[in-house]
Amino acid sequence: MNTEKDFSPLTPNIVRALNDKLYEKRKVAALEIEKLVREFVAQNNSTQIRHVIQILASEFALSQHPHSRKGGLIGLAACSIALGKDSGLYLKELIEPVLTCFNDSDSRLRYYACEALYNIVKVARGAVLPHFNVLFDGLSKLAADPDPNVKSGSELLDRLLKVRFHSGICSGHQPPGLPTRNP
């Protein structure tokens, strides 16, 4: 990771902590990101919100360095938490890098990707329905994961997706690709 690169609005301390090998330091960075994004939400600054998400996705979650990828995942989940009900406006940008990490060779990283996506889906609620097909596709790959922790994480995510799907159907939302019934 290029430490000379400008990652603003992320501070150098946040960048350093996101790259740290210790989970506790990455968690502290995620809490700082959450505060930062909440400030941008309060200011209605969608440009800065998108910029933070883009940095976390391209420079961290999709990085060649495993600790950076883990930092990116927890950072993206923190963004979603900070966005709350507005996370639906940014779901594509939040979900895509997480789904990419489902294919990582490191089982811990796949587990962190499950955890990040769980938090994103939990906050986004019914807004995830338009993304159901890609979420289901990604989740189906993890259902047969050889690592028991990843498999367990994917099962929790699967249950949450079923709840969101059912809630969406009951409230009249139609996920893409699902045939409609004529009354």
Side-chain angles (χ1 to χ4, degrees):
M1 168 113 338
N2 184 356
T3 55
E4 301 300 315
K5 196 168 185 178
D6 180 24
F7 292 106
S8 64
L10 301 181
T11 66
N13 286 340
I14 292 174
V15 171
R16 197 170 16 266
L18 284 174
N19 286 302
D20 203 279
K21 66 179 180 179
L22 296 176
Y23 170 79
E24 292 79 20
K25 290 189 180 180
R26 293 191 306 268
K27 178 70 175 168
V28 168
L31 293 172
E32 289 300 314
I33 290 168
E34 190 177 332
K35 278 196 269 186
L36 185 67
V37 171
R38 282 186 202 277
E39 289 173 16
F40 293 146
V41 169
Q43 298 165 2
N44 201 23
N45 192 339
S46 62
T47 303
Q48 285 289 58
I49 294 168
R50 287 194 192 284
H51 188 60
V52 168
I53 293 170
Q54 189 272 326
I55 289 170
L56 290 169
S58 64
E59 301 293 335
F60 291 92
L62 302 176
S63 168
Q64 295 298 312
H65 305 287
H67 300 308
S68 297
R69 289 195 301 269
K70 292 172 189 171
L73 290 169
I74 197 169
L76 289 167
C79 284
S80 181
I81 291 166
L83 289 165
K85 63 179 174 47
D86 293 335
S87 65
L89 301 170
Y90 307 92
L91 272 179
K92 185 176 190 306
E93 296 94 332
L94 290 166
I95 290 173
E96 285 180 354
V98 177
L99 289 174
T100 299
C101 291
F102 277 8
N103 299 318
D104 201 276
S105 60
D106 181 355
S107 62
R108 287 175 299 176
L109 202 103
R110 292 193 308 275
Y111 175 80
Y112 285 132
C114 279
E115 186 177 58
L117 192 56
Y118 181 92
N119 288 318
I120 292 167
V121 169
K122 188 172 183 177
V123 171
R125 299 185 172 264
V128 300
L129 285 180
H131 305 276
F132 182 78
N133 289 342
V134 295
L135 293 173
F136 183 78
D137 185 48
L139 194 55
S140 65
K141 293 173 186 167
L142 295 182
D145 199 280
D147 185 277
N149 292 322
V150 175
K151 199 168 189 169
S152 173
S154 73
E155 288 167 0
L156 286 172
L157 179 56
D158 178 60
R159 277 181 265 182
L160 180 62
L161 274 175
K162 286 176 183 172
V163 167
R164 295 297 183 240
F165 182 77
H166 181 68
S167 298
I169 296 298
C170 289
S171 66
H173 291 96
Q174 189 73 15
L178 192 68
T180 57
R181 284 193 280 173
N182 293 329

